[in-house]
Amino acid sequence: MKAIEAEEVRKSYKVFFRRKEVLKGISLEVEEGEIYGIIGPNGSGKTTLISILSTILKPDSGNVRVLGMDVEKDAKKIREVINISSGNPNFLWSLTAEENLKYFGMAYGIGGEELKKRIEELLSLLELEEHRETRFDEMSTGTKQRLSLAKALINRPRVVFLDEPTTGLDPDIALKMRETIKRIHEEEGVTIVLTTHYMKEAEMLCEKLSFLRNGVVELEGTVSDFKTKFKNLEYALIRVEGSIEELKIPHAVLSDGKLRVDEIERLGEVIELLSSKGVRIKDVKIREVELEDVFIQLSK
Amino acid sequence: MSLYSSLNKFLAFAYKNWVMSKRNVFTIFEIAFWPVVSFISVGLMSRYLSLTDNQTAFILIGAITFSSVQVCQLDVGYALLFDVWSKCIKHTFITPTSSHHYILGSSLVGSLRSFLVLLLLSLFGYIFFDFNILEVGMTPLLLIFFAIILSAISIGMLVCVCVLLVGLRAEVAAWSIVWLFLLLAGIYYPPSILPPTLQFLSNLLPLTHLLAYFRSFYLGGGAEFEILTTYILLFIHIAFTSVLLHLATRHAIKSGLLLRISE
């Protein structure tokens, strides 16, 4: 079954006397059990899209189905089986981690021993045991993010939406968070739809990606599809012995004391030419395309 | 949906209000300070003006009823306001709960706070102003208390409607709407002294009839039909505000307000 099917989704907001179209006919499909990433520059419509998919924003037009249910007609049923975690999370300020989880657990209809057990599992999974008595307004950003993730799992959802889950975290904490998300995905078998600004995160976690710009999906596919599409961004760097200042080699340019070959298919030609001129090559490095390069290219 | 699951959803909101209130210093003020100060002030004023026992009872009943309604309606409004202040309202709305869960859950804590206010003011009335609330009798008192809670629910629901229509700016409604009722329902004076148009509006308020019923035990006059009118009007008011709440929720989800007040 498809976890998410969105067809021609449109959404606009009223800004003073004008309407601003934020989503201009988005279509996408997410398979159950996969981690799907929505990437794109600021203002591209990522949060709007994730809010529509999670039933807290109504689209102007288009069809959206989550686990086969319509987001408008079956919103309440969908809410039983989904959950959300946002970057820069906010919860009830004077409630502790445990109390916040209890409140949300109860709001999902869970109670008694079952809820207690689930809270303990999540406090342990997200390494929040030592913060169980800490009030939300006294937590560090990293702890708040972990609590947000714990809250997003309280009802054992089938689909979890993570809206920029590592925003504002230190690199080491962000990496740990990503590992936790991966572990949760493996252990709980949950479908994850995440938006992110960090291409390393998308590369590490996502099986499939959509690139959004100005409310339109500009590219969709696996990380390797994205890279293949922009294979022309690959280049090779050749380090040689001696001065290269006077070398004039076709298809190669001087870059930081090295020769840079942008057309990889001509690399052999360039190496042959260098050898024929008696230049000794120290090493050749191929700089593969990274998702970040694709992101920059697509954002232009 | 099982009854157990629904009960937990309803209790979630009672739990939230309970813990938030427990840790909020203003709770003491809302229950003890403001109602008591206001009650003693009007009681002393009645002494200064040398009012008769009946006239004093008239005013004290208004003060008790108003304070009891006010503290409970605040709790119902807090069901959403705590989330708005915490910027986490979208997390509440993404749960499979309905407005009746948060209205009833929060009013459970509101009822408790309202009962404490009623108890405290009745005690002060008895000690300082020879006002005995038990003269009303147990069954009428229960009917009055239940009507106070329902009135508070309908006012609190209006606060929730405002929150879902205009967001944080509606917080002022939590403390203001009830004061309109103070003016119209005749908390400290009989509605008959109001101009005809306002008298008409006053007659549409359950609180007006509830006060008439409550006061009839001290001032005489058959007012049994007043309690019936109170409950009929309460039913109409709650049904009407439920529709408004439903529409306001739809508006908040369609306009994106729910997201804006969560950021």
Side-chain angles (χ1 to χ4, degrees):
Chain A
M1 184 195 274
K2 296 263 186 290
I4 288 165
E5 296 157 274
E7 269 176 77
E8 280 297 306
V9 180
R10 289 178 182 274
K11 181 70 191 172
S12 59
Y13 293 117
K14 205 171 174 185
V15 183
F16 295 106
F17 299 105
R18 290 187 315 137
R19 290 205 81 83
K20 189 186 174 209
E21 202 169 19
V22 182
L23 298 182
K24 300 167 182 170
I26 299 260
S27 299
L28 56 87
E29 284 186 352
V30 179
E31 294 293 333
E32 201 169 356
E34 77 181 354
I35 304 186
Y36 191 98
I38 300 169
I39 56 173
N42 285 332
S44 56
K46 301 187 296 288
T47 301
T48 300
L49 178 60
I50 219 167
S51 303
I52 288 174
L53 300 178
S54 58
T55 77
I56 45 174
L57 185 64
K58 195 174 171 234
D60 294 341
S61 64
N63 295 316
V64 183
R65 300 181 78 77
V66 176
L67 296 163
M69 296 176 277
D70 187 276
V71 285
E72 288 182 55
K73 290 183 204 139
D74 308 311
K76 215 153 274 174
K77 279 189 200 160
I78 292 173
R79 288 172 192 157
E80 296 273 0
V81 289
I82 63 165
N83 211 321
I84 194 168
S85 164
S86 340
N88 190 18
N90 288 307
F91 292 121
L92 296 158
W93 73 88
S94 68
L95 266 62
T96 64
E98 194 175 2
E99 287 165 346
N100 265 303
L101 289 176
K102 189 174 173 184
Y103 161 59
F104 283 108
M106 289 168 83
Y108 278 95
I110 316 165
E113 281 305 310
E114 188 193 352
L115 180 58
K116 269 188 199 161
K117 204 174 147 209
R118 185 62 177 156
I119 290 172
E120 289 309 319
E121 272 173 20
L122 291 172
L123 289 174
S124 155
L125 182 70
L126 276 304
E127 295 170 20
L128 283 164
E129 287 113 324
E130 61 176 304
H131 301 288
R132 70 166 69 225
E133 302 288 334
T134 311
R135 281 167 55 128
F136 183 77
D137 58 0
E138 289 165 359
M139 289 177 190
S140 66
T141 312
T143 311
K144 285 178 179 175
Q145 297 278 41
R146 278 183 285 144
L147 176 64
S148 178
L149 198 53
K151 174 256 153 192
L153 297 169
I154 191 81
N155 58 325
R156 296 183 194 280
R158 287 172 65 189
V159 181
V160 174
F161 297 94
L162 305 178
D163 192 8
E164 300 183 359
T166 56
T167 298
L169 295 183
D170 290 339
D172 55 331
I173 310 277
L175 182 67
K176 216 169 167 190
M177 189 78 168
R178 284 169 202 144
E179 282 164 356
T180 308
I181 293 170
K182 206 163 186 173
R183 202 171 73 230
I184 288 164
H185 174 247
E186 284 159 9
E187 285 174 14
E188 308 239 339
V190 60
T191 305
I192 296 176
V193 178
L194 74 89
T195 66
T196 183
H197 269 110
Y198 305 118
M199 294 308 107
K200 290 271 179 228
E201 184 167 295
E203 209 159 347
M204 178 178 168
L205 294 173
C206 302
E207 288 149 21
K208 216 170 164 192
L209 292 170
S210 263
F211 181 87
L212 244 70
R213 199 169 76 133
N214 295 328
V216 177
V217 175
E218 293 219 333
L219 192 61
E220 193 188 10
T222 60
V223 173
S224 103
D225 291 340
F226 270 61
K227 288 180 177 176
T228 311
K229 177 106 180 164
F230 287 87
K231 209 163 170 54
N232 61 325
L233 295 175
E234 257 180 14
Y235 60 87
L237 284 174
I238 306 171
R239 212 150 58 99
V240 298
E241 271 180 7
S243 168
I244 53 169
E245 305 297 319
E246 282 146 34
L247 278 177
K248 285 214 168 55
I249 309 288
H251 312 299
V253 287
L254 216 60
S255 165
D256 277 344
K258 293 168 197 161
L259 282 170
R260 177 179 161 144
V261 182
D262 285 330
E263 296 169 69
I264 292 286
E265 61 278 10
R266 296 197 183 267
L267 182 62
E269 245 177 83
V270 173
I271 290 172
E272 262 178 41
L273 202 64
L274 285 170
S275 304
S276 68
K277 290 193 175 190
V279 179
R280 280 198 58 182
I281 296 171
K282 274 188 177 171
D283 59 40
V284 178
K285 276 187 185 154
I286 294 182
R287 207 287 200 161
E288 288 180 352
V289 184
E290 296 205 358
L291 203 53
E292 194 118 3
D293 304 319
V294 179
F295 184 93
I296 293 166
Q297 203 66 20
L298 283 169
S299 301
K300 278 179 185 168
Chain B
M1 185 178 57
S2 74
L3 189 65
Y4 177 70
S5 163
S6 193
L7 183 69
N8 280 324
K9 289 173 186 178
F10 152 76
L11 288 175
F13 294 96
Y15 176 73
K16 174 175 78 175
N17 274 36
W18 172 253
V19 181
M20 291 294 280
S21 298
K22 214 170 62 174
R23 302 212 175 115
N24 185 1
V25 68
F26 284 105
T27 304
I28 300 293
F29 284 81
E30 284 167 3
I31 295 174
F33 185 73
W34 288 312
V36 169
V37 167
S38 158
F39 182 78
I40 291 179
S41 300
V42 292
L44 290 175
M45 184 185 68
S46 68
R47 282 282 153 87
Y48 169 70
L49 295 172
S50 309
L51 300 182
T52 64
D53 284 351
N54 284 352
Q55 286 170 323
T56 304
F58 183 96
I59 287 178
L60 294 183
I61 284 170
I64 291 174
T65 309
F66 180 69
S67 293
S68 306
V69 168
Q70 191 181 29
V71 76
C72 183
Q73 68 87 29
L74 273 177
D75 252 299
V76 178
Y78 284 161
L80 293 189
L81 281 170
F82 281 145
D83 287 343
V84 172
W85 291 327
S86 305
K87 297 185 173 182
C88 70
I89 197 165
K90 76 172 178 186
H91 291 290
T92 293
F93 276 80
I94 206 178
T95 63
T97 50
S98 305
S99 54
H100 66 265
H101 290 120
Y102 66 76
I103 297 297
L104 292 177
S106 56
S107 63
L108 186 69
V109 178
S111 306
L112 181 69
R113 300 207 309 158
S114 186
F115 178 71
L116 286 176
V117 168
L118 187 81
L119 199 70
L120 205 60
L121 299 190
S122 303
L123 201 67
F124 276 95
Y126 185 72
I127 295 169
F128 297 115
F129 307 110
D130 301 322
F131 173 76
N132 184 4
I133 200 169
L134 295 176
E135 276 179 34
V136 172
M138 230 35 223
T139 309
L141 209 49
L142 279 174
L143 282 174
I144 289 166
F145 182 66
F146 195 53
I148 283 175
I149 300 306
L150 291 179
S151 298
I153 287 176
S154 78
I155 299 169
M157 283 168 81
L158 279 179
V159 174
C160 293
V161 167
C162 294
V163 169
L164 292 171
L165 287 179
V166 295
L168 189 58
R169 280 173 292 165
E171 66 181 332
V172 70
W175 287 274
S176 316
I177 290 180
V178 74
W179 291 90
L180 273 177
F181 291 81
L182 175 97
L183 181 76
L184 291 172
I187 302 292
Y188 298 125
Y189 45 80
S192 55
I193 66 160
L194 291 168
T197 324
L198 292 185
Q199 267 188 53
F200 173 74
L201 290 175
S202 174
N203 265 319
L204 299 176
L205 299 178
L207 211 50
T208 308
H209 301 276
L210 176 65
L211 285 166
Y213 177 66
F214 200 168
R215 284 166 176 156
S216 71
F217 292 94
Y218 297 88
L219 307 176
E224 284 75 18
F225 77 96
E226 294 286 9
I227 194 70
L228 187 66
T229 316
T230 304
Y231 277 96
I232 291 170
L233 285 174
L234 277 172
F235 176 78
I236 295 168
H237 275 234
I238 290 175
F240 180 66
T241 41
S242 296
V243 173
L244 285 183
L245 195 55
H246 176 72
L247 294 175
T249 306
R250 281 178 56 171
H251 163 82
I253 290 178
K254 187 166 169 48
S255 66
L257 180 100
L258 211 54
L259 295 179
R260 287 200 299 279
I261 55 178
S262 294
E263 284 161 2

